Amino acid sequence: DLQVNIELLKKANLSFFKVEKKIMQEFITELKAGQPETVNTPAIRSRMTVLETNLLRLQDLANLDNIKKKELLEAIKELLVADVNLKLQINKKFEKEAQQIQVPVK
């Protein structure tokens, strides 16, 4: 669901973010609960927290009537960067696990 809404956001569709705070909190809770145990590392959890913060910030800004376009665009940019950083960290974890590192024989 998150990736679908990120794609909509890239097309300037903010409808996902124009909801009540309670609904966004439930979405984030479900997102965290649906996270597989294999990707539950400190680095990924911290990226997830940054993503959560940016989701809530953008949701707050999207619901304001007098928000400046520059501020809204900056919040969108920060959310997109947080999303990319989370994906990058997950990919790095799986890449490292897939490597077959052999210890040199003495």
Side-chain angles (χ1 to χ4, degrees):
D1 282 347
L2 178 62
Q3 291 312 307
V4 169
N5 289 308
I6 292 288
E7 288 304 315
L8 289 173
L9 179 63
K10 289 177 183 178
K11 296 175 183 172
N13 184 342
L14 291 172
S15 60
F16 173 69
F17 297 95
K18 294 190 177 194
V19 295
E20 293 180 25
K21 194 169 203 115
K22 184 178 179 181
I23 294 171
M24 184 62 74
Q25 286 284 7
E26 288 174 10
F27 174 77
I28 292 169
T29 302
E30 289 175 12
L31 183 64
K32 286 181 175 180
Q35 187 177 5
E37 194 60 38
T38 57
V39 295
N40 196 6
T41 64
I44 293 173
R45 279 195 308 268
S46 68
R47 297 322 186 276
M48 192 67 156
T49 302
V50 171
L51 182 70
E52 175 186 353
T53 302
N54 283 296
L55 279 169
L56 292 172
R57 181 169 182 260
L58 181 57
Q59 192 257 340
D60 283 343
L61 292 176
N63 287 313
L64 291 176
D65 293 332
N66 60 347
I67 186 70
K68 293 180 181 174
K69 187 176 183 178
K70 185 176 179 180
E71 288 180 53
L72 189 59
L73 289 174
E74 185 64 31
I76 291 170
K77 178 183 171 189
E78 288 175 8
L79 176 63
L80 294 175
V81 168
D83 180 55
V84 168
N85 286 339
L86 175 63
K87 289 177 192 175
L88 178 67
Q89 194 64 41
I90 291 170
N91 288 339
K92 285 171 83 174
K93 180 191 183 322
F94 287 122
E95 183 180 315
K96 187 173 183 180
E97 286 177 355
Q99 291 176 347
Q100 299 293 328
I101 301 173
Q102 296 178 346
V103 178
V105 179
K106 292 183 178 183

